[in-house]
Amino acid sequence: MSEQVYEAIARSSSGFVESPAGCGKTEAIVRTVGTYCSDPQLILTHTHAGVDALRQRFRKYQVPTSRYHVDTIAGWAWSWVRKYPFNAGYDGPGDVPGWNDVYDSMSALLERDFVKQGILNSYAGVIVDEYQDCTVPMHKLMVQLKCLLPCRVLGDDLQGIFGFRDDPLISWTDMRGAFGNDLGTLETPHRWINAGNESLGRWLLRERTAFRQSREPDYGSATVHRARVQYGNLGAELLRLTEEKEGRICIIGPKARRLNSAVETVLVKRAYRILEPNDLTVLRDLIVVLVDGTDAEKADAAIKFFFDSHGGLSPDTNAFISNILKGEGSRPRLVDRRALFDAHRQGATPILLAELLDYVASRTAVSCKLTESVSALKCILEEHIGSGANLKTLYAEEIAKRKYRTRSSVFRCVGSTLLVKGLEFDHAVILRDPNWQQSWGNYRDLYVALSRGAKSATLIDLAA
Amino acid sequence: MRIRHIEIRNFRGIKSLSWRVKGDFCCVIGPGDTCKTTILTALDYALSPRTSLSFEDSDFFNQDVRQDIVIQVTLTDWDETQLDIRKFFQESKFAQYKCGLDATGPLAEPQEGGTVAVSVSLRVDGSLEPKWFVVKGRDEGEVTERKPLYATDRNALGLSRLDTYSDYHFTWGRNTILTRLSADNEGNLGAVLSGLAREMRQGDISGHESITECQGVADTVKQESSDAGVKLTALSPKIDIQRQSMTAGALSLHEDNVPMRNKGSGTKKLVAAAMQMKLHGGKNISLIDEIEVGLEPHRIRGLIVRLRNTGQQIFTTTHSPVVIRELDVVKDELYVCRRDAAGIVSLDSLAVVPNIQGPVRNNAEAFLGSKIIACEGPTEIGCLRAYDRYRFEGGSIPVWSLATSYFNADSGGQIKVVCPKLHALGYRTAAFCDNDAQDQISDAEVARLRAAAIHVCQWEAGNSTEGQLFHDLPWTHIPDLLAIIADNHRTLDHATIIDCVIKEPRVITQNLGTDPTAWPESPLLRGVLGELAHKRSWIKSIGYAATVFYFALPLIPDTSAIKSRLGLLWDWVQHE
């Protein structure tokens, strides 16, 4: 059955494959290219994690690199737009691109013969992964690319989730309209079969209609564990629930905000990593103010960064950090604080931030919650102090450097559906509160969350 | 591909050069030491797929290694259906490095509706290490978007040099034309040859599969050469036992048992050109320094016609009027190269001057120097040749060593038209004309030429060249002059000359008699002689005039118009 789908993808000049979670989408792409396509294919996806997963699978099957090029839609479009901003009509920034402009600009570039020719020279076809994550400008770009090359897309409307501030995604009806041919559906739940929990996989496939119609699925026959937990007990309960479980665990919390700080601190101390979005939003907010803000704004932003990124700060430490960043307060008694105080009376300077990071790291009671942002900030400050380079530029370079550091190896983590989608775990623990549809997500998010754990899925409903 | 712009900085004698190339057959002419060959070498270095290139301090302009050598060549018009071009312009290679081109040179991006180009830059800094890049826009160093370009990639550009270095192309060596034609063979030849090296005998190698393929190529070359007018008996790849190393270069093209490299230089050039025409379906670029070397005029013509018809772009230099006559100036086939004292080199298509084709065909030699003396006709040219010889014998430097050529304008009326054109092409120009026809060239027109920095040598009012000669020569030598005229002239005899003088209506009453030594001197008779000589074409050929003036010049007084005015012209030739 699957082989027929692979062959259909290879042969078709346009079409889509319905690919529910865990049913072998990556496999389908790699096998199609490796077995049924003789000429090079452009494989586009959305996240660097996705790129990484595809590349690893291609390597595993020893498909010659001349036969495929894997990139994110954003990365591929930007590679052209940054080379031809004038032809693309792109007047956004050259270092940190405005992505929607980039897709529109790439659409403009596809009108140019020399660009078309370059793409035709390079590829015989395009395969787009995770099509449900396409925004309207991305979809427009892909439809245009379809005029140039055979364009086949794989995706799952149920995994089409987006953040509260994000652009709306393409509707599945529009996708079907644009790509016409239904090339088949992938419907073997490999992920759960391989983990010895086929029943969960089958249940997820069976209940897709319920998720799609935004109603609570029938947990009757499910192997989903359910629990009700009081907010106050959450930290302790989570530890208890996950203590017994072996393997990789993700705890999926709300999208709109982070978990309660105390709960995060408890988890971080148990070696959980708090996932951050690719642009390290917390760090970005700090950098922007450090470059453009007033002294007072800089101090406030730095204080906020320290409180967001570190858990277990004592009130005393909090006060010291606030004071020294604002350039206020009296000379501290403790020797190490006094040294910092004596050396730094100009408020939130880069040198002070760097030294404060070291100071905070030296406090054993303090745990670092946002390890990515903190390590990136250290690198940026070090480079800035050494070379005097612009902080925003260094930030952009640092983000670019990190983009291929995959999260797929993360062992225990906490994040929202947006941050864990595309990742696979042994156990998924989902936290939702009574108002979950306002703060947490919708039934598609629930489907994504429940399909993250191959061995088990635990749904915790929180009560006040 | 087609080269459409060349910029060279700090390379050998060239401080800077920016050349917007228009034609597909580009022949560069110009005086010696204007860096014509350096331009071809620069193109060869920048575009050919050679892997090793060693630079020395002396390759830098003024040996100043602080200023990078930059050779940037911008190309257009590739055939994107060709496989190697498609590979060259893949995303993983240079698809995102196509650039634009306008009259000023390469641009970072193509303009809407404008030319799409690709620009290759060879850069050498004080480390003497050459680096090739594809660059977007003028190569300003690190700030210009660039991507390294390796020798194998440069293969796709399709440039070969077919002159002094063409021996190598008769081998299946690295990146030679034969190797490129045998592209399917890649990798096999080396192994076959190292095996053969052990046997090292002239055994029968024709059975090897790779060699069979080389034979196929050799057959094609034979056919192409035959079309080019070179008849060869049988071409085959054979082990070249004189070569030391047994790399692929040891396999070379032989005619019977004679290696092609031992053939005459003209034949080698024609065969190499024939091979190059097969590469990339002919859509490629050839460099030929001194295209005429080793070729008879008919072979030159044949080669030029064939090169033009194959669709390749040619860059060549020449010192041969035969080549110049074959070229279509209007199609930008002829460029004049100039180099100023600061090393700024410029190239101008002769097409910038309207209606220059005729003068170029008729006076091809004139364009090979740096100074041109435009003469009214063959008599004047003959006069100058004689004067040159006369001065040379008196110890002066001859004009030919001063890169001065004569240009036959064919009439006084043409002189005033042609001289400004030659001047516009950068030639230092002088006009040499008689002074007997105001309707042909008036005093006002002469003044205009002089105002335009053109030196004008003109006889005294009313005098043709013959008139001035009979005016200035001491009377006692006139009979000898008439005898010499008659001796040299093919159709005119002495009696006819005498007869037409004594019967001339203005002097008939003088009953001059047939012995010119007895003729009495008079301005009238001098005038009549001059006029007859002019009207009856007594010395109207370069040869007649040269002989006559060579006889007369030592006898003419230094204060005469002929000698003083020619003297001024010579000052211009020698000193300006």
Side-chain angles (χ1 to χ4, degrees):
Chain A
M1 178 62 202
S2 299
E3 295 291 329
Q4 284 168 3
V5 176
Y6 305 161
E7 209 177 337
I9 300 173
R11 277 203 320 258
S12 165
S13 62
S14 169
F16 63 88
V17 176
E18 190 95 34
S19 333
C23 290
K25 192 156 42 63
T26 305
E27 184 85 358
I29 293 171
V30 172
R31 291 289 310 284
T32 300
V33 174
T35 313
Y36 297 100
C37 297
S38 49
D39 294 318
Q41 303 289 318
L42 174 62
I43 317 294
L44 293 174
T45 183
H46 292 267
T47 61
H48 300 298
V51 170
D52 192 61
L54 280 159
R55 285 188 185 153
Q56 280 184 20
R57 196 70 64 91
F58 271 116
R59 278 198 287 273
K60 183 179 155 195
Y61 281 100
Q62 298 184 327
V63 180
T65 50
S66 59
R67 298 258 288 277
Y68 64 89
H69 172 69
V70 187
D71 207 341
T72 60
I73 298 174
W76 178 75
W78 181 235
S79 78
W80 277 99
V81 171
R82 65 174 283 272
K83 291 287 191 334
Y84 295 107
F86 178 76
N87 276 274
Y90 177 81
D91 50 12
D95 44 4
V96 192
W99 288 113
N100 279 341
D101 292 346
V102 169
Y103 304 125
D104 287 342
S105 302
M106 187 62 206
S107 291
L109 271 187
L110 281 179
E111 304 281 341
R112 295 278 193 258
D113 284 339
F114 74 91
V115 176
K116 285 189 204 172
Q117 196 62 56
I119 294 168
L120 285 173
N121 291 343
S122 313
Y123 311 110
V126 184
I127 298 175
V128 191
D129 191 16
E130 311 278 14
Y131 204 81
Q132 72 282 348
D133 290 336
C134 279
T135 59
V136 174
M138 285 180 187
H139 174 63
K140 192 182 142 215
L141 175 58
M142 291 304 126
V143 169
Q144 220 177 336
L145 199 52
K146 184 170 75 90
C147 301
L148 198 62
L149 284 172
C151 195
R152 297 81 94 204
V153 308
L154 294 88
D156 175 12
D157 58 328
L158 279 186
Q159 294 180 69
I161 58 174
F162 55 93
F164 292 93
R165 284 179 305 185
D166 294 349
D167 296 308
L169 302 176
I170 173 73
S171 91
W172 214 233
T173 327
D174 288 352
M175 184 285 290
R176 283 170 179 269
F179 291 96
N181 305 321
D182 186 345
L183 303 175
T185 303
L186 302 173
E187 44 199 7
T188 313
H190 296 287
R191 181 182 298 167
W192 292 275
I193 293 171
N194 294 340
N197 189 10
E198 183 170 351
S199 64
L200 178 55
R202 295 278 171 210
W203 177 81
L204 282 163
L205 283 174
R206 240 185 353 262
E207 292 298 325
R208 282 172 64 82
T209 318
F211 289 112
R212 196 171 276 133
Q213 291 171 354
S214 294
R215 51 185 174 80
E216 199 68 10
D218 176 6
Y219 295 103
S221 63
T223 49
V224 176
H225 307 289
R226 303 198 61 189
R228 291 183 73 78
V229 174
Q230 300 287 318
Y231 261 124
N233 298 335
L234 184 56
E237 274 300 302
L238 280 176
L239 291 184
R240 195 186 62 75
L241 270 168
T242 55
E243 211 165 23
E244 299 294 298
K245 298 190 191 299
E246 288 182 351
R248 305 173 59 207
I249 303 176
C250 71
I251 294 172
I252 303 171
K255 266 198 287 206
R257 53 180 165 75
R258 283 162 61 186
L259 281 179
N260 169 304
S261 177
V263 176
E264 277 191 350
T265 304
V266 167
L267 292 171
V268 167
K269 287 190 172 169
R270 288 290 193 288
Y272 277 81
R273 189 169 134 196
I274 295 174
L275 297 181
E276 296 181 67
N278 275 335
D279 66 350
L280 304 177
T281 319
V282 173
L283 174 63
R284 188 194 61 196
D285 293 349
L286 170 66
I287 296 289
V288 168
V289 177
L290 285 182
V291 175
D292 301 329
T294 63
D295 285 350
E297 286 166 343
K298 284 182 194 174
D300 288 343
I303 292 164
K304 182 172 183 312
F305 180 84
F306 273 96
F307 294 173
D308 280 345
S309 60
H310 292 83
L313 293 166
S314 65
D316 186 36
T317 312
N318 272 348
F320 167 69
I321 290 174
S322 293
N323 282 338
I324 194 165
L325 283 168
K326 286 177 178 166
E328 294 170 355
S330 52
R331 197 159 183 254
R333 279 182 302 108
L334 292 170
V335 179
D336 47 359
R337 289 186 188 177
R338 204 187 305 155
L340 279 171
F341 181 86
D342 289 344
H344 303 284
R345 308 297 295 276
Q346 284 84 40
T349 59
I351 296 181
L352 173 58
L353 289 181
E355 294 196 5
L356 266 185
L357 284 176
D358 290 341
Y359 170 74
V360 173
S362 70
R363 320 290 298 170
T364 44
V366 177
S367 44
C368 180
K369 295 198 288 187
L370 304 180
T371 47
E372 280 205 73
S373 281
V374 167
S375 78
L377 178 60
K378 272 187 182 168
C379 295
I380 291 170
L381 290 173
E382 212 167 273
E383 178 68 29
H384 173 77
I385 291 163
S387 72
N390 182 285
L391 286 171
K392 277 188 186 173
T393 313
L394 292 173
Y395 160 78
E397 285 171 8
E398 191 62 32
I399 295 295
K401 244 188 269 175
R402 285 165 184 263
K403 72 180 183 181
Y404 286 109
R405 283 194 200 168
T406 176
R407 291 202 198 102
S408 54
S409 59
V410 62
F411 196 68
R412 295 187 166 193
C413 68
V414 183
S416 68
T417 48
L418 284 173
L419 295 171
V420 297
K421 95 175 170 177
L423 303 182
E424 293 169 27
F425 297 88
D426 295 313
H427 308 283
V429 178
I430 300 122
L431 311 175
R432 56 175 192 177
D433 61 22
N435 296 322
W436 67 281
Q437 299 217 46
Q438 273 83 55
S439 64
W440 195 91
N442 54 31
Y443 279 96
R444 289 166 189 244
D445 289 284
L446 185 57
Y447 173 80
V448 169
L450 286 168
S451 57
R452 287 313 97 193
K455 289 182 179 157
S456 80
T458 306
L459 177 60
I460 297 179
D461 282 300
L462 296 164
Chain B
M1 294 207 186
R2 292 281 183 269
I3 293 172
R4 284 291 170 249
H5 192 270
I6 300 167
E7 181 169 349
I8 301 172
R9 283 175 264 164
N10 307 308
F11 181 53
R12 298 191 181 166
I14 303 177
K15 174 64 191 162
S16 76
L17 159 83
S18 176
W19 180 10
R20 177 86 168 95
V21 181
K22 294 182 192 131
D24 291 341
F25 193 108
C26 303
C27 184
V28 179
I29 56 170
D33 298 324
T34 49
C35 298
K36 300 186 292 289
T37 303
T38 303
I39 296 171
L40 296 199
T41 304
L43 291 176
D44 184 28
Y45 283 7
L47 301 184
S48 75
R50 63 174 76 209
T51 43
S52 61
L53 205 55
S54 59
F55 281 84
E56 298 168 8
D57 286 5
S58 58
D59 286 317
F60 289 76
F61 182 77
N62 269 351
Q63 305 226 29
D64 181 0
V65 297
R66 290 166 307 171
Q67 306 279 327
D68 289 5
I69 293 174
V70 180
I71 303 169
Q72 185 175 4
V73 186
T74 307
L75 305 107
T76 66
D77 297 332
W78 48 83
D79 179 358
E80 212 138 350
T81 61
Q82 295 264 335
L83 187 64
D84 48 356
I85 296 288
R86 293 186 57 136
K87 281 186 180 165
F88 187 85
F89 285 118
Q90 285 183 345
E91 267 182 19
S92 55
K93 295 277 185 184
F94 303 104
Q96 296 173 339
Y97 287 81
K98 288 177 180 172
C99 65
L101 175 71
D102 70 5
T104 62
L107 309 165
E109 291 188 39
Q111 292 175 312
E112 193 167 358
T115 310
V116 180
V118 65
S119 198
V120 173
S121 178
L122 165 62
R123 208 170 238 278
V124 189
D125 62 16
S127 70
L128 304 182
E129 195 63 44
K131 293 191 183 79
W132 286 264
F133 298 96
V134 171
V135 291
K136 291 179 75 186
R138 185 171 189 265
D139 184 359
E140 309 278 12
E142 303 270 311
V143 295
T144 314
E145 187 111 43
R146 52 166 62 192
K147 187 173 184 178
L149 173 72
Y150 300 106
T152 46
D153 298 324
R154 293 199 296 279
N155 258 325
L157 304 172
L159 178 134
S160 302
R161 184 160 189 171
L162 303 180
D163 42 61
T164 44
Y165 303 100
S166 66
D167 280 6
Y168 185 55
H169 284 306
F170 296 119
T171 73
W172 271 266
R174 189 191 281 255
N175 291 325
T176 65
I177 300 174
L178 284 173
T179 301
R180 285 188 264 168
L181 284 170
S182 316
D184 298 340
N185 248 333
E186 226 166 327
N188 296 341
L189 281 171
V192 172
L193 284 157
S194 54
L196 287 168
R198 288 178 207 111
E199 302 166 22
M200 206 54 199
R201 286 297 85 194
Q202 268 190 304
D204 181 13
I205 59 170
S206 59
H208 281 277
E209 199 181 322
S210 311
I211 302 291
T212 314
E213 288 191 49
C214 295
Q215 179 62 56
V217 174
D219 291 342
T220 317
V221 171
K222 186 188 166 193
Q223 182 56 46
E224 287 293 317
S225 307
S226 158
D227 295 349
V230 180
K231 303 290 180 206
L232 301 165
T233 50
L235 286 184
S236 56
K238 286 194 175 174
I239 300 292
D240 194 341
I241 50 166
Q242 291 191 339
R243 295 207 170 240
Q244 300 283 316
S245 62
M246 280 300 284
T247 61
L251 192 66
S252 79
L253 203 60
H254 285 57
E255 186 195 17
D256 296 324
N257 282 321
V258 181
M260 277 306 291
R261 66 183 152 79
N262 287 2
K263 303 288 285 183
S265 62
T267 297
K268 285 196 289 188
K269 182 174 287 171
L270 291 174
V271 176
M275 291 180 346
Q276 165 77 351
M277 287 170 201
K278 293 299 287 180
L279 202 61
H280 300 143
K283 271 259 174 187
N284 49 43
I285 304 161
S286 294
L287 308 178
I288 314 174
D289 196 19
E290 302 186 357
I291 189 168
E292 69 277 6
V293 169
L295 296 175
E296 299 80 359
H298 66 273
R299 279 180 136 187
I300 294 176
R301 270 181 226 118
L303 177 61
I304 290 174
V305 169
R306 279 181 57 76
L307 287 173
R308 243 197 225 121
N309 289 341
T310 52
Q312 52 180 336
Q313 190 182 27
I314 308 293
F315 285 84
T316 184
T317 64
T318 191
H319 301 105
S320 163
V322 178
V323 175
I324 291 180
R325 281 193 200 99
E326 288 306 312
L327 301 178
D328 188 337
V329 174
V330 182
K331 286 186 181 155
D332 295 298
E333 290 189 336
L334 201 54
Y335 285 85
V336 190
C337 185
R338 303 266 159 224
R339 178 175 175 275
D340 72 11
I344 315 280
V345 176
S346 60
L347 286 119
D348 290 303
S349 167
L350 265 68
V352 299
V353 181
N355 306 320
I356 192 79
Q357 180 75 66
V360 169
R361 288 251 155 85
N362 294 331
N363 295 279
E365 290 88 344
F367 291 87
L368 295 167
S370 59
K371 289 178 221 166
I372 294 179
I373 304 173
C375 302
E376 190 173 312
T379 317
E380 287 71 25
I381 293 179
C383 166
L384 289 184
R385 284 191 172 193
Y387 186 70
D388 189 30
R389 189 172 162 200
Y390 164 73
R391 289 287 298 253
F392 176 64
E393 286 164 359
S396 286
I397 303 167
V399 286
W400 46 264
S401 71
L402 297 163
T404 307
S405 335
Y406 309 128
F407 181 107
N408 183 358
D410 253 348
S411 75
Q414 277 302 308
I415 280 207
K416 67 190 180 203
V417 179
V418 147
C419 285
K421 288 180 183 176
L422 297 174
H423 186 71
L425 285 170
Y427 290 98
R428 290 198 38 245
T429 309
F432 176 35
C433 47
D434 55 20
N435 194 357
D436 61 344
Q438 284 288 314
D439 58 330
Q440 294 268 319
I441 180 161
S442 67
D443 293 344
E445 280 157 351
V446 167
R448 263 203 295 282
L449 290 179
R450 287 192 168 126
I454 292 163
H455 180 92
V456 182
C457 176
Q458 200 183 22
W459 302 137
E460 291 167 307
N463 278 345
S464 67
T465 300
E466 295 86 346
Q468 194 71 51
L469 173 63
F470 280 95
H471 178 272
D472 287 357
L473 187 70
W475 189 251
T476 50
H477 303 296
I478 294 287
D480 290 342
L481 180 64
L482 293 176
I484 284 170
I485 289 171
D487 281 353
N488 280 283
H489 208 284
R490 244 172 355 110
T491 54
L492 199 62
D493 61 28
H494 193 253
T496 315
I497 291 175
I498 301 298
D499 190 53
C500 79
V501 174
I502 59 183
K503 288 183 180 156
E504 214 285 336
R506 280 170 289 175
V507 294
I508 193 162
T509 55
Q510 293 185 17
N511 294 317
L512 289 171
T514 55
D515 176 12
T517 56
W519 294 349
E521 181 182 0
S522 73
L524 175 67
L525 189 49
R526 281 184 186 269
V528 165
L529 283 165
E531 209 178 297
L532 285 172
H534 179 60
K535 289 200 173 132
R536 307 240 168 150
S537 303
W538 289 356
I539 57 170
K540 198 164 184 171
S541 88
I542 293 174
Y544 298 165
T547 313
V548 165
F549 274 96
Y550 184 65
F551 157 77
L553 282 165
L555 309 171
I556 294 173
D558 291 344
T559 51
S560 68
I562 287 187
K563 273 201 170 163
S564 61
R565 292 181 192 196
L566 288 177
L568 286 173
L569 181 59
W570 246 238
D571 287 347
W572 174 85
V573 169
Q574 315 242 353
H575 301 301
E576 267 189 60

